[in-house]
Amino acid sequence: MTVEQNVLQQHSQKHQQTLLNQLREVTGTTDVQLLQQALQVSNGDLAEAVAFLTEKNAKVPQQDETTYYQTSEVASDRYISVGSQADTNVIDLTGDDKDDLQRAIALSLEESNRAFRETGITDEEQAISRVLEASIAENKASLKRTHTEVWSDSPNPHDRKRVDTCPVGLKNVGNTCWFSAVIQSLFNLLEFQRLVLNYSPPARVHDLPRNQKEHRNLPFMQELRNLFSLMVGSKRKYVDPSRAVEILKDAFKSSESQQQDVSEFTHKLLDWLEDAFQMKAEEDREGEKPKNPMVELFYGRFLAVGVLEGKKFENTEMFGQYPLQVNGFKDLHECLEAAMIEGEIESLHSAENSARSGQEHWFTELPPVLTFELSRFEFNQALGRPEKIHNKLEFPSMLYMDRYMDRNREITRIKREEIRRLKEHLTLLQQRLERYLSYGSGPKRFPLADVLQYAMEFASSKPVCTSPVEDIDTSAPPGGTTGQQLPPPSTAEQDSLPPLESSGPASTATAAQQHRIPIHKPFTQSRLPPDLPMHPAPRHITEEELRVLEGCLHRWRSEVENDTRDLQGSINRIHRTIELMYSDKSMMQVPYRLHAVLVHEGQANAGHYWAYIYDPHQRCWMKYNDISVTKSSWEELVRDSFGGYRNASAYCLMYINDKKPFLIEEEFDKETGQILSGIDKLPPDLKQYVKGDNELFGKEIKEWDALQVRKAQQEKLALAAAASAASSTSTSCSSPQPMSIESSPPDNTVPQQDPEYMEQPSTTSDSKHLLEHTERAISRAAAEQEERSPDALLNAAIKLEYARLLRFAQEDTPPENDYRLQHIIVYFIQNQAPKKILERTLLTQFADRNLAFDERCKSIMNVARAKLDLIKPEEVNMDEYEMWHQAYRNFRETTISMMTGLELFQKTDYMEALMYLIYSYQYNKELLSKGLYRGHDEELLGHYRRQCLLKLNEQAAAMFESGEEAGVSTGLGIMNELVVPCIPLLLIHDTERDLLAVEDMRNRWCSYLGQEMEPNLQERLTDFLPKLLDCSTEIKSFHDPPKLPTYSSLELSERFGRIMAALGRVPTEGR
């Protein structure tokens, strides 16, 4: 038997045991014979074995296996089945190619050795996860998806125009956020970008392709080139990747491919590119061993050193994306350490012929682009469905791989042993420290230093033997007076106290009656013994005892504090030593810088994908979220990628070798030495392709602009015609009217039209309310002022009115009494408007023509109007004056919108209430950004906006659960038209309660994924969920603002007061 055969046999035995272990863990079955039977029945197919065991043990309803395991195509469904990994290394052995045979043998060894990796990483286990998740996410094999257009193009091409050199986004053409995230990460590797753009198909492919791979891969390669060229030189803000996606979709529909997750898609993509470049390499280097640039860029090698049943072995394996488990680890290095060491490895370093088995992985060659797959999904046996792991996992922006290299094997082993010894010592120290920090033998434990301190405080306490009722003189007869007269209570205290017995004869009679009739007095009759201390204290302790005890307790406490401090110091030093174990320069020679982080938000069966990619030229992180490309930060990346925040976490990390700058370096012109940018970096055929697309887009912009000009001209003509018709009608229909000076003063004496809340053309209830206050101020001024001239009376009245409004502005009132709605001056005072604005506004109030009902008011009105006319432009800036009055109009409109929404909410008309609450919240936020008193309570508005969305979500979910066609359509319509468009508004401000509300709504709909339902419901659910789970904060479509009713100031103030008073009766926890 050869060495290779021996190794294969050993691996086969270990492989069989690994399959048994995986089945035991996934299904919970411990019967070894039953597990072996399942493997035998399924011919080693773990997917069928899982189905066999779950049917046998869990008593699940019998289903047709083909239906149960069938999955649907990936490109038409945003619900990516996670945790699976396709076999992308399929080799055609039907030909006579010996290299293929050798590769097959190497891959066989590689596949066998995967059984030694960490739990959940093997292909078989990933297949189990894929099948189980697909069976839950998909209802039937024949289920066909409709293409959901998540993004709809704006009809205005200017909205789709690229801004300067901003990166180009990718349109979501039907649940393809996974495609965008992966493609953008690869595109921003400039070396990969150059390889794709400069790829030319082999000459022989112009004839008929030899096999299916060529027939599929080469057209995809050409579409990828076209897509990359548009991403380089397009004038569009985002481009359409439909053609490349269609080819992928067709491949995933074929019999050789099942539904893929994002990691599998990346494997498949690189496999196709590898095949395409392999054909080109074989043609270019006939007779020599071809070099494949995809392999050199993305693939590395590691050495598997191990012991199998006491026999040592070493195997070299190739790897692409390296899988890592997340559960149970706190950072990336811990994941890597666990993945590199498997089993009991003590025998690797000992001379004894042990029966133990285990292995270590040592990288011999790392690829320039190092990709880690983070396994964040596991199957929950109790619930019968896959779940996402939301645990926090930290990863660095710079990763040093020296400790995992084969050339550092001995040094790393020594350091690992030292770390192991330090961690053992650390555990002992932490246990000792815990005894100090949690002292005691009962369920409640306290720090020992605090216990000693409490004992010292107790010993030092002096006993104060007084009773809580010592102020009652029990020797005095009932109803009599005590020897010492207590001071009489204050007036306020008298008002707040209940009536007591009065003095005089009646009091004496009452006292005598009380003396004769025994009355139960629980307070005086059940009082504590007079010698009981007021607080815990020693009853008997001598000075000597106290001195000795205090000395001992003080000394013991100091000793405990010193011991605790020493233990904490030792623990910190060990932590620091472990952190710095690999910080010497010799172990920092293989630096890898974080290039891209691919993020998934959602649950195991559904979610949304986006990518954070580092831009080395701008030195910042960029967020690529479908068509949206925005600047980001490391802090935002950490929040969304580490996990533990919402349902978002990284599932793929892409690092690049920091010592190979060619990966991200721009290309230079060989003649001029200038950096090639934009369309200049494209080969001639792609230049023409991009120029053609840009010309089409330019033509679309010109046609749009011409259309807008025509529309504007038509509107002008229509307005002119309407004005002309109105003028002729007015001339022919009007009759001469006598001119009244009082009712219509000349234009040169009339000030600028004042706002509706300051002056009404007729004596409405609102103007009457304002006039009453104005006339009252004039009457008071006339009564208090000695000089009766109109000018003096006006000044005095204005001062009195201002003083009244100032009191309102300074008064601390409940929300239902908002004086800002009653008078604009209150609003101005609270927001510190300039004095000149206040003066002119008050003059406008007293210049109201409706004041002229008597000679005194008429004369004051005329003086006020004259003063308004005398105000020079340089004295009062009319633009600023109008700005303040416009701010008040905005405040009133926001109030009306808020009040209308709250009224509708109280009537449970949530659909109508939503738009009022949404817009009033947005308007109010803008107001508050300019000042604290310019708007209303943001928290209150936010609460009812949030509650309205939750109520609508509840209604829509109930309609969906009914299963009736009309109810389902109405429910999904509510979600699509009302709830989903509002979710970005909750996400963008990032408040905790809003985020929790979004999670509640999403979880409600995601909970349906694991339930049995009709195929049409499943189809509609899977088409809807991507929109709900989209975490983009970009507002894609929204309803127009609702029309607002008009209210007078008095009516608005009263209605607002009523609605706020009603809200005030809502329990605090309900708001």
Side-chain angles (χ1 to χ4, degrees):
M1 183 180 291
T2 64
V3 175
E4 290 82 358
Q5 290 172 331
N6 185 31
V7 169
L8 283 172
Q9 182 178 358
Q10 295 169 356
H11 280 228
S12 177
Q13 296 170 355
K14 184 62 177 177
H15 183 70
Q16 181 75 10
Q17 184 61 42
T18 303
L19 292 179
L20 291 174
N21 292 339
Q22 291 168 350
L23 277 177
R24 182 185 297 111
E25 181 178 350
V26 172
T27 64
T29 304
T30 57
D31 190 336
V32 177
Q33 292 183 351
L34 186 59
L35 293 172
Q36 291 175 342
Q37 180 187 356
L39 285 176
Q40 186 176 1
V41 169
S42 63
N43 293 322
D45 188 329
L46 282 183
E48 295 184 9
V50 170
F52 175 82
L53 291 173
T54 51
E55 289 171 2
K56 193 172 187 68
N57 296 340
K59 307 291 184 185
V60 297
Q62 186 70 27
Q63 298 185 41
D64 178 59
E65 286 189 25
T66 306
T67 302
Y68 190 73
Y69 294 122
Q70 188 72 30
T71 56
S72 71
E73 67 234 42
V74 62
S76 60
D77 189 2
R78 199 175 196 163
Y79 300 94
I80 312 303
S81 175
V82 286
S84 60
Q85 178 175 329
D87 184 4
T88 60
N89 295 315
V90 177
I91 299 174
D92 184 8
L93 296 179
T94 58
D96 297 326
D97 194 339
K98 293 183 179 180
D99 289 339
D100 281 349
L101 181 60
Q102 293 297 324
R103 186 177 172 209
I105 294 172
L107 284 174
S108 175
L109 289 172
E110 178 183 346
E111 293 298 315
S112 299
N113 277 316
R114 287 183 183 175
F116 290 93
R117 296 196 182 160
E118 200 69 9
T119 303
I121 297 180
T122 64
D123 286 351
E124 293 82 10
E125 200 163 1
Q126 292 176 16
I128 293 171
S129 178
R130 179 180 67 243
V131 171
L132 290 173
E133 292 175 42
S135 68
I136 293 171
E138 307 297 329
N139 198 3
K140 290 186 177 180
S142 60
L143 184 62
K144 293 182 180 180
R145 309 289 184 206
T146 57
H147 291 245
T148 305
E149 289 297 329
V150 178
W151 300 103
S152 56
D153 290 332
S154 168
N156 185 351
H158 290 282
D159 295 338
R160 295 180 271 117
K161 189 175 181 181
R162 185 178 181 181
V163 179
D164 299 328
T165 57
C166 180
V168 175
L170 290 177
K171 183 180 179 181
N172 191 321
V173 292
N175 307 325
T176 55
C177 52
W178 48 274
F179 179 88
S180 301
V182 174
I183 290 297
Q184 291 282 18
S185 301
L186 294 173
F187 173 80
N188 281 277
L189 284 169
L190 298 187
E191 178 63 14
F192 179 85
Q193 182 189 121
R194 283 189 287 269
L195 287 171
V196 171
L197 291 174
N198 295 309
Y199 176 83
S200 58
R204 59 179 171 77
V205 300
H206 297 295
D207 304 326
L208 227 78
R210 291 186 308 176
N211 53 42
Q212 184 183 1
K213 283 187 178 180
E214 292 184 8
H215 185 74
R216 176 192 63 200
N217 296 354
L218 294 177
F220 176 76
M221 193 69 201
Q222 185 56 43
E223 291 303 333
L224 190 63
R225 292 182 71 237
N226 292 341
L227 181 61
F228 272 28
S229 66
L230 290 175
M231 293 169 72
V232 167
S234 178
K235 293 182 179 179
R236 303 176 190 265
K237 178 182 177 182
Y238 56 89
V239 294
D240 190 334
S242 296
R243 292 183 178 178
V245 171
E246 286 298 325
I247 297 176
L248 283 172
K249 190 188 306 179
D250 292 339
F252 291 156
K253 285 179 181 176
S254 65
S255 58
E256 66 182 45
S257 301
Q258 291 182 334
Q259 181 174 345
Q260 316 291 303
D261 68 0
V262 178
S263 299
E264 256 186 291
F265 161 68
T266 311
H267 280 292
K268 185 71 68 180
L269 173 65
L270 295 179
D271 189 43
W272 289 8
L273 294 174
E274 180 185 344
D275 289 342
F277 277 95
Q278 186 68 24
M279 288 185 282
K280 180 65 177 173
E282 289 173 357
E283 182 182 77
D284 293 343
R285 304 185 57 157
E286 294 182 2
E288 301 179 25
K289 187 176 180 180
K291 289 187 176 181
N292 191 317
M294 289 294 111
V295 174
E296 293 182 347
L297 199 60
F298 294 102
Y299 289 87
R301 296 180 182 275
F302 67 83
L303 184 67
V305 183
V307 173
L308 182 61
E309 297 179 356
K311 297 180 180 180
K312 294 184 179 181
F313 67 88
E314 286 192 6
N315 291 317
T316 300
E317 300 184 26
M318 181 178 286
F319 71 94
Q321 293 174 277
Y322 202 82
L324 296 174
Q325 281 292 310
V326 169
N327 209 8
F329 306 109
K330 68 177 183 179
D331 59 42
L332 186 61
H333 277 299
E334 285 192 1
C335 296
L336 275 168
E337 290 282 354
M340 303 296 280
I341 305 174
E342 302 172 12
E344 303 176 84
I345 63 168
E346 290 84 355
S347 55
L348 293 175
H349 314 141
S350 62
E352 299 177 6
N353 187 10
S354 171
R356 293 176 176 177
S357 299
Q359 68 173 325
E360 294 175 331
H361 290 175
W362 299 98
F363 292 117
T364 56
E365 181 183 348
L366 288 173
V369 182
L370 180 59
T371 306
F372 296 112
E373 297 174 9
L374 304 182
S375 178
R376 281 192 170 271
F377 303 93
E378 63 182 5
F379 186 78
N380 187 317
Q381 187 66 26
L383 298 176
R385 65 171 181 238
E387 287 187 337
K388 184 177 177 183
I389 301 169
H390 297 292
N391 298 351
K392 185 176 182 179
L393 182 81
E394 299 178 359
F395 49 84
S397 59
M398 185 67 74
L399 178 69
Y400 293 96
M401 295 294 294
D402 302 74
R403 70 185 79 175
Y404 311 109
M405 301 302 295
D406 182 53
R407 61 174 177 265
N408 296 324
R409 187 194 304 185
E410 297 306 321
I411 296 176
T412 301
R413 282 176 175 171
I414 293 171
K415 289 182 179 291
R416 283 177 180 170
E417 179 60 27
E418 178 65 14
I419 289 174
R420 186 190 64 79
R421 187 186 62 79
L422 286 172
K423 286 185 175 180
E424 288 178 355
H425 186 50
L426 182 65
T427 302
L428 294 175
L429 292 177
Q430 288 172 335
Q431 290 173 352
R432 289 181 59 187
L433 180 61
E434 185 65 18
R435 296 190 190 104
Y436 282 93
L437 298 180
S438 299
Y439 185 79
S441 55
K444 292 185 178 181
R445 304 194 174 196
F446 305 93
L448 180 54
D450 292 347
V451 172
L452 295 172
Q453 176 65 25
Y454 301 152
M456 190 156 41
E457 291 174 359
F458 172 77
S460 304
S461 299
K462 301 295 183 183
V464 180
C465 297
T466 57
S467 170
V469 293
E470 68 175 2
D471 55 332
I472 299 178
D473 188 356
T474 56
S475 61
T481 58
T482 60
Q484 183 178 359
Q485 183 71 28
L486 293 174
S490 64
T491 306
E493 289 171 339
Q494 289 176 351
D495 293 339
S496 62
L497 291 174
L500 298 176
E501 47 201 331
S502 58
S503 58
S507 176
T508 306
T510 303
Q513 186 178 3
Q514 288 177 349
H515 184 70
R516 290 191 299 270
I517 301 173
I519 297 176
H520 177 63
K521 302 177 185 177
F523 183 65
T524 56
Q525 292 180 357
S526 62
R527 68 170 185 241
L528 300 174
D531 58 345
L532 186 68
M534 281 291 292
H535 52 77
R539 293 295 186 91
H540 306 288
I541 185 170
T542 64
E543 292 293 333
E544 182 64 21
E545 289 173 338
L546 180 61
R547 184 180 60 78
V548 172
L549 185 57
E550 283 184 339
C552 292
L553 290 172
H554 184 75
R555 185 176 71 251
W556 295 339
R557 184 170 180 270
S558 298
E559 292 171 357
V560 168
E561 288 177 343
N562 291 334
D563 292 346
T564 303
R565 192 161 43 249
D566 292 343
L567 285 170
Q568 289 173 335
S570 299
I571 289 172
N572 292 336
R573 284 192 295 273
I574 291 177
H575 276 302
R576 186 64 177 161
T577 302
I578 293 175
E579 290 174 2
L580 299 176
M581 187 64 69
Y582 295 99
S583 61
D584 52 288
K585 288 186 178 180
S586 63
M587 300 299 284
M588 299 176 71
Q589 300 302 310
V590 188
Y592 273 77
R593 184 178 57 77
L594 188 61
H595 163 70
V597 180
L598 279 66
V599 180
H600 172 268
E601 182 182 42
Q603 303 300 329
N605 301 99
H608 180 61
Y609 297 87
W610 71 91
Y612 290 102
I613 303 172
Y614 186 72
D615 186 334
H617 306 290
Q618 296 190 58
R619 296 186 178 182
C620 70
W621 285 93
M622 303 292 291
K623 182 178 181 179
Y624 290 79
N625 191 357
D626 289 330
I627 68 171
S628 173
V629 182
T630 55
K631 279 190 176 183
S632 184
S633 63
W634 175 254
E635 290 72 26
E636 184 182 1
L637 183 153
V638 166
R639 184 193 66 185
D640 287 347
S641 306
F642 278 12
Y645 174 78
R646 298 194 297 197
N647 287 332
S649 54
Y651 69 91
C652 183
L653 305 176
M654 193 176 290
Y655 284 87
I656 58 176
N657 193 322
D658 203 44
K659 289 188 174 181
K660 296 183 178 180
F662 72 90
L663 293 169
I664 53 174
E665 276 184 346
E666 293 283 0
E667 192 174 358
F668 290 85
D669 187 285
K670 295 179 180 178
E671 297 180 358
T672 64
Q674 299 293 321
I675 293 179
L676 294 176
S677 61
I679 203 169
D680 294 333
K681 65 166 67 172
L682 301 178
D685 63 323
L686 294 181
K687 277 185 181 179
Q688 289 302 118
Y689 177 76
V690 174
K691 284 181 179 178
D693 184 76
N694 286 340
E695 287 173 1
L696 287 175
F697 186 58
K699 183 179 178 182
E700 183 183 355
I701 292 177
K702 288 181 180 178
E703 290 175 352
W704 170 267
D705 292 342
L707 178 63
Q708 301 310 307
V709 170
R710 287 197 300 272
K711 283 184 177 180
Q713 291 173 347
Q714 291 170 359
E715 289 175 0
K716 284 182 180 179
L717 291 174
L719 289 172
S724 176
S727 175
S728 61
T729 303
S730 173
T731 305
S732 61
C733 298
S734 61
S735 57
Q737 297 290 335
M739 182 177 292
S740 170
I741 296 177
E742 290 188 5
S743 62
S744 181
D747 290 342
N748 58 353
T749 62
V750 179
Q752 184 176 350
Q753 181 66 38
D754 293 307
E756 59 179 3
Y757 43 79
M758 290 301 301
E759 178 180 356
Q760 300 291 335
S762 61
T763 56
T764 62
S765 60
D766 191 29
S767 63
K768 285 181 180 179
H769 177 69
L770 187 62
L771 288 173
E772 287 175 1
H773 291 294
T774 307
E775 291 162 2
R776 192 176 296 119
I778 293 174
S779 298
R780 285 187 59 192
E784 298 175 3
Q785 190 74 15
E786 294 181 0
E787 186 181 350
R788 297 302 181 93
S789 67
D791 187 54
L793 288 176
L794 174 64
N795 291 335
I798 286 179
K799 287 181 180 179
L800 289 171
E801 178 68 355
Y802 178 78
R804 179 181 74 88
L805 297 174
L806 179 62
R807 286 196 302 274
F808 287 161
Q810 294 174 342
E811 188 175 334
D812 187 12
T813 59
E816 57 264 27
N817 294 334
D818 195 334
Y819 290 122
R820 292 175 298 175
L821 297 173
Q822 296 182 18
H823 205 292
I824 188 175
I825 292 295
V826 177
Y827 177 87
F828 283 175
I829 293 173
Q830 290 188 352
N831 290 287
Q832 300 177 348
K835 182 180 178 182
K836 293 290 184 181
I837 304 297
L838 295 173
E839 290 175 352
R840 182 179 175 87
T841 305
L842 281 170
L843 271 176
T844 304
Q845 176 180 334
F846 283 86
D848 190 343
R849 290 189 299 272
N850 293 315
L851 283 174
F853 71 93
D854 63 15
E855 288 301 322
R856 183 174 62 191
C857 290
K858 181 178 178 179
S859 61
I860 289 177
M861 179 267 292
N862 289 331
V863 171
R865 296 177 73 82
K867 286 193 173 186
L868 283 173
D869 293 338
L870 292 173
I871 296 177
K872 298 178 181 179
E874 60 268 17
E875 293 179 355
V876 177
N877 187 329
M878 290 307 298
D879 290 337
E880 185 181 18
Y881 178 83
E882 178 56 32
M883 181 192 72
W884 277 97
H885 280 263
Q886 182 60 48
Y888 186 65
R889 283 192 288 270
N890 294 341
F891 170 70
R892 280 172 53 89
E893 289 173 1
T894 301
T895 304
I896 294 172
S897 180
M898 170 185 175
M899 182 183 68
T900 307
L902 292 175
E903 287 176 341
L904 291 168
F905 182 90
Q906 284 194 321
K907 296 174 182 177
T908 68
D909 190 354
Y910 305 120
M911 293 179 65
E912 291 294 327
L914 180 63
M915 284 301 105
Y916 286 102
L917 293 174
I918 288 293
Y919 275 100
S920 62
Y921 182 89
Q922 296 301 114
Y923 295 155
N924 190 66
K925 194 167 189 69
E926 293 177 13
L927 294 176
L928 292 177
S929 66
K930 300 175 183 178
L932 180 62
Y933 297 102
R934 290 193 177 226
H936 296 285
D937 184 356
E938 184 177 14
E939 187 175 346
L940 177 77
L941 258 176
H943 167 78
Y944 283 99
R945 179 185 70 159
R946 188 165 55 246
Q947 287 301 312
C948 196
L949 285 169
L950 288 171
K951 295 287 186 183
L952 285 172
N953 185 74
E954 197 70 25
Q955 289 181 356
M959 293 176 184
F960 182 82
E961 290 173 3
S962 70
E964 299 176 0
E965 179 61 27
V968 171
S969 298
T970 304
L972 292 178
I974 290 173
M975 295 301 296
N976 285 321
E977 295 174 16
L978 295 175
V979 178
V980 170
C982 295
I983 284 181
L985 298 175
L986 269 65
L987 295 175
I988 197 169
H989 299 306
D990 208 18
T991 61
E992 183 180 358
R993 292 182 180 178
D994 285 347
L995 295 179
L996 288 174
V998 172
E999 289 306 308
D1000 287 344
M1001 290 187 280
R1002 289 174 172 174
N1003 290 337
R1004 175 66 182 268
W1005 290 91
C1006 285
S1007 66
Y1008 298 140
L1009 288 172
Q1011 300 180 15
E1012 292 292 333
M1013 62 181 69
E1014 293 297 322
N1016 66 316
L1017 291 182
Q1018 182 72 40
E1019 181 178 355
R1020 298 183 72 172
L1021 177 65
T1022 51
D1023 284 340
F1024 158 69
L1025 270 176
K1027 305 174 188 177
L1028 182 65
L1029 294 172
D1030 185 0
C1031 66
S1032 171
T1033 56
E1034 182 172 342
I1035 311 301
K1036 293 182 269 295
S1037 63
F1038 215 63
H1039 293 266
D1040 294 331
K1043 293 183 178 179
L1044 299 177
T1046 56
Y1047 296 105
S1048 67
S1049 295
L1050 180 61
E1051 186 179 7
L1052 176 60
S1053 177
E1054 290 177 349
R1055 294 191 65 167
F1056 183 80
R1058 286 196 298 270
I1059 188 68
M1060 295 305 293
L1063 295 180
R1065 292 192 289 271
V1066 178
T1068 306
E1069 61 272 12
R1071 285 180 292 172

